[in-house]
Amino acid sequence: MAFYEENPQGIGKADLVAAILSYNDADSIGVAVERVSRGLKDHFGDRNAVLINCDSHSVDGTREAFFQAPSDVPRIYLSTETGGSGKGLSLRNLFEKVRQLEAKAVLVLECAIDNLTPYWVAALAGPLFKGTAFVQPLYVRHKYEAPLTSALVYPLSRCLYGRRCRQLGSGEVAFTGAMAETFLNAPGWSDAVSSSGIDVWMGMVAMTARVPICQTVMHAPRLRRSKGQAPELAPQFRRVLTVLFDLMVAYGDFWKRVKWSKPTGLFGMNGRETEVPPTIDVKVARLHAQFLEGFAAYEETWRKIFEPATFNKLMEVRSLTPEHFTLPSQTWATMLFDGAVAYRDADAGARAALIDCFLPLYLAKVVSYVKRTERMSIQQAEDYVEAICEVFEENKRYLIDRW
Amino acid sequence: MPKIMVVDDEEHIRLLYSEELLEAGYEVVTVGSGRELLPKIAEEKPDLVILDIKMVDYDGLDLLQDIRAEHYDLPVILSTAYDTFKEDMKSLAADYYVVKSFDLTELKKKIAMALETRLPE
């Protein structure tokens, strides 16, 4: 894959790569460079480190701002080619550059994070020098934050691959140089991965690579700067479910051998004070209405892909009012398992439509989750997420039998 | 026969767990102090540890970290009278937890799950 590169210092080797992902972030990349540089100096001053700006062809002067920011750390600028953008493409460029630099450790941070601190550099890269190959951050989260992770990614990835990685796909990540090579050769690369599906994809590829994985406790929420418009739910949902199903097809021989799950190693239990996450509001009535609207478009598809008992349960769920709404986790798991089987057997065009039909069902699960946890503390809601995961694991036999 | 190590500073809990787990077909060894735990694990090589969280001489969650540092894959089930310990993220390193009870149905279920857990090599 071709990428645009500026390497004014002619850097040819590095032990540690700190990558900052950007897209039209000229206003903020200077701060990110400063904080990451301080983290590298404070925590990895003895390492041969390099800062790489992985840009998605910004047009606002991000590249110039990156080079102008005050820092002693050597710098390289990489960008996707004209017409190409997306986090996945930027990271693929990074994987190739890591291979060229023969780097041992890589951490990836998004430029658009407001509360990024030098400690994040230590929290993410530290485990890589203690035998870990893939590091996933564990942020402080409100119970309604990232429902896609709580209701879909965590239960399904844990049940399939047997590793408990609570916030897979949360944005930041760290991995060894060897893992970068694994990513370059891994299956399931798609348009979804080229975009924001890359986060979930990397986590699941790491889970199947039989390498040490850990979660690093960040002691802080992840506060992403708004760029004027909220991220759209539907495209993000499509990308994530596409990646989940694509990798189920690619790694069937692996996940069929997994039974139950194991905890993941923890890093960063250092007594730092833990911040309180901002409160999140969920508009339950709107989500419930979107679920009901889905019947007009997808009822026949659902009837075809779900086993009769599951479809009948869905029709029961349809009749519930928002006040008494619940979508049982077993029904949710079974629908996803049936959907994965249908996806495996479908051609490319039919696969896209099949992914779309799951959006109203996912919204129903979010409504159900919010109703169930509305009087719960964050910790109690976490227990409920664990219970969802156990239901997925208990029903895995059904998936294996259908597969 | 899988060997289970019961770590609890209350003698009646050790006795209860031992009797029931022996009856369920497991080999059981007991440890009454957190201080003895790591040498005992090295000596006995258990297949699973049931670990009390609140012991007089040790914090079970700190012990869990010590176990993970030396025996990364050893299944550990936390046993507790209260569930407030889950606010401490160290508890995420446990395979499962159970609330102490005279009915060991849940504990036996979790033991079976932990011992059956299989990840491809």
Side-chain angles (χ1 to χ4, degrees):
Chain A
M1 185 179 292
F3 53 81
Y4 174 78
E5 175 177 357
E6 281 191 31
N7 183 357
Q9 291 156 285
I11 301 156
K13 286 226 173 199
D15 292 333
L16 172 59
V17 167
I20 302 174
L21 295 166
S22 65
Y23 176 60
N24 288 340
D25 285 305
D27 290 345
S28 57
I29 195 159
V31 175
V33 167
E34 189 190 333
R35 291 176 183 173
V36 175
S37 298
R38 196 164 354 127
L40 290 170
K41 193 176 171 186
D42 290 350
H43 302 285
F44 303 101
D46 56 339
R47 305 276 176 187
N48 176 20
V50 59
L51 265 178
I52 298 183
N53 178 198
C54 294
D55 193 30
S56 272
H57 203 71
S58 295
V59 293
D60 69 338
T62 297
R63 178 179 58 85
E64 292 80 358
F66 170 67
F67 281 119
Q68 285 164 10
S71 168
D72 296 335
V73 183
R75 273 170 272 190
I76 297 172
Y77 173 83
L78 298 182
S79 177
T80 51
E81 296 270 293
T82 307
S85 68
K87 184 172 181 180
L89 288 178
S90 286
L91 279 172
R92 196 163 181 97
N93 294 341
L94 176 67
F95 303 151
E96 295 195 8
K97 193 64 200 171
V98 166
R99 175 196 273 168
Q100 288 174 16
L101 294 170
E102 299 175 25
K104 294 177 179 60
V106 184
L107 71 136
V108 178
L109 299 150
E110 285 194 14
C111 190
I113 303 300
D114 264 339
N115 60 330
L116 168 68
T117 68
Y119 170 71
W120 288 28
V121 173
L124 286 162
L128 299 175
F129 296 102
K130 294 181 176 175
T132 300
F134 184 82
V135 183
Q136 185 68 48
L138 201 53
Y139 295 103
V140 179
R141 278 183 173 171
H142 184 265
K143 61 184 176 180
Y144 298 154
E145 189 176 352
L148 195 53
T149 307
S150 299
L152 176 63
V153 175
Y154 181 45
L156 194 54
S157 65
R158 168 173 158 169
C159 140
L160 290 171
Y161 304 110
R163 302 305 302 264
R164 299 178 197 167
C165 240
R166 177 64 181 88
Q167 296 179 6
L168 211 58
S170 56
E172 284 61 48
V173 75
F175 48 84
T176 58
M179 272 311 298
E181 193 65 36
T182 301
F183 292 140
L184 282 169
N185 298 312
W189 191 271
S190 63
D191 288 347
V193 180
S194 296
S195 184
S196 58
I198 183 80
D199 292 322
V200 169
W201 180 86
M202 282 195 294
M204 288 188 296
V205 169
M207 286 178 174
T208 61
R210 304 173 179 90
V211 295
I213 294 174
C214 89
Q215 299 183 98
T216 190
V217 183
M218 305 300 279
H219 302 279
R222 181 178 192 266
L223 303 177
R224 200 169 196 280
R225 191 174 314 116
S226 166
K227 288 187 175 178
Q229 57 188 41
E232 288 185 67
L233 169 66
Q236 177 63 3
F237 174 81
R238 281 190 203 106
R239 286 190 282 264
V240 167
L241 189 58
T242 299
V243 171
L244 286 164
F245 281 177
D246 278 344
L247 290 186
M248 283 180 79
V249 175
Y251 288 120
D253 289 341
F254 182 96
W255 59 254
K256 279 190 276 184
R257 288 183 285 147
V258 172
K259 187 166 187 185
W260 306 118
S261 61
K262 291 288 291 177
T264 303
L266 287 172
F267 185 84
M269 308 302 304
N270 49 21
R272 284 176 75 93
E273 191 173 338
T274 298
E275 296 174 30
V276 177
T279 303
I280 307 271
D281 186 34
V282 180
K283 292 180 173 51
V284 168
R286 177 76 194 117
L287 298 182
H288 182 256
Q290 286 179 276
F291 162 60
L292 293 180
E293 286 161 19
F295 280 85
Y298 302 118
E299 185 173 338
E300 281 315 301
T301 307
W302 292 335
R303 191 191 302 276
K304 278 183 204 154
I305 64 174
F306 298 149
E307 292 288 298
T310 305
F311 181 77
N312 291 339
K313 188 72 191 173
L314 179 60
M315 298 309 279
E316 278 177 37
V317 170
R318 179 189 196 178
S319 67
L320 299 173
T321 61
E323 291 71 31
H324 300 99
F325 192 82
T326 181
L327 175 59
S329 295
Q330 184 177 1
T331 308
W332 174 229
T334 309
M335 289 192 298
L336 286 167
F337 295 162
D338 286 345
V341 172
Y343 185 89
R344 180 200 61 189
D345 297 336
D347 60 30
R351 283 183 170 186
L354 199 143
I355 292 289
D356 284 346
C357 90
F358 270 89
L359 181 58
L361 303 173
Y362 161 69
L363 298 178
K365 187 59 189 168
V366 174
V367 173
S368 176
Y369 171 82
V370 171
K371 295 301 295 177
R372 179 68 181 265
T373 60
E374 60 190 347
R375 289 185 182 82
M376 291 184 182
S377 66
I378 291 177
Q379 185 51 56
Q380 288 167 330
E382 277 301 298
D383 287 349
Y384 178 56
V385 172
E386 289 298 304
I388 294 174
C389 291
E390 288 194 16
V391 171
F392 271 65
E393 291 179 8
E394 285 164 359
N395 285 277
K396 188 171 178 181
R397 187 72 247 168
Y398 172 84
L399 170 64
I400 292 172
D401 290 345
R402 281 220 60 199
W403 199 264
Chain B
M1 185 188 308
K3 185 191 281 189
I4 295 178
M5 179 174 280
V6 177
V7 187
D8 203 301
D9 58 0
E10 292 180 81
E11 190 179 5
H12 73 279
I13 295 286
R14 295 199 301 273
L15 277 172
L16 171 71
Y17 283 15
S18 292
E19 281 178 16
E20 291 249 358
L21 296 177
L22 281 167
E23 205 170 293
Y26 298 109
E27 188 180 343
V28 181
V29 288
T30 61
V31 178
S33 153
R35 197 179 304 112
E36 300 169 32
L37 180 58
L38 289 176
K40 272 284 188 188
I41 289 175
E43 181 189 330
E44 296 283 352
K45 297 182 175 45
D47 298 294
L48 182 147
V49 172
I50 300 169
L51 179 61
D52 180 23
I53 289 182
K54 291 277 178 221
M55 285 181 283
V56 173
D57 65 342
Y58 261 89
D59 180 324
L61 294 179
D62 288 338
L63 273 175
L64 175 60
Q65 284 199 298
D66 295 342
I67 294 171
R68 284 283 171 257
E70 291 188 24
H71 309 276
Y72 180 75
D73 274 333
L74 178 61
V76 177
I77 297 176
L78 295 177
S79 163
T80 174
Y82 311 98
D83 64 1
T84 49
F85 74 92
K86 286 181 283 180
E87 287 163 13
D88 189 330
M89 292 182 118
K90 290 175 198 162
S91 65
L92 293 175
D95 289 73
Y96 298 103
Y97 76 90
V98 291
V99 176
K100 281 183 187 177
S101 162
F102 290 104
D103 178 356
L104 300 196
T105 308
E106 183 65 13
L107 175 64
K108 288 175 189 169
K109 179 185 169 192
K110 298 298 187 195
I111 290 172
M113 286 167 69
L115 292 174
E116 284 172 2
T117 299
R118 200 172 56 233
L119 302 183
E121 291 295 319

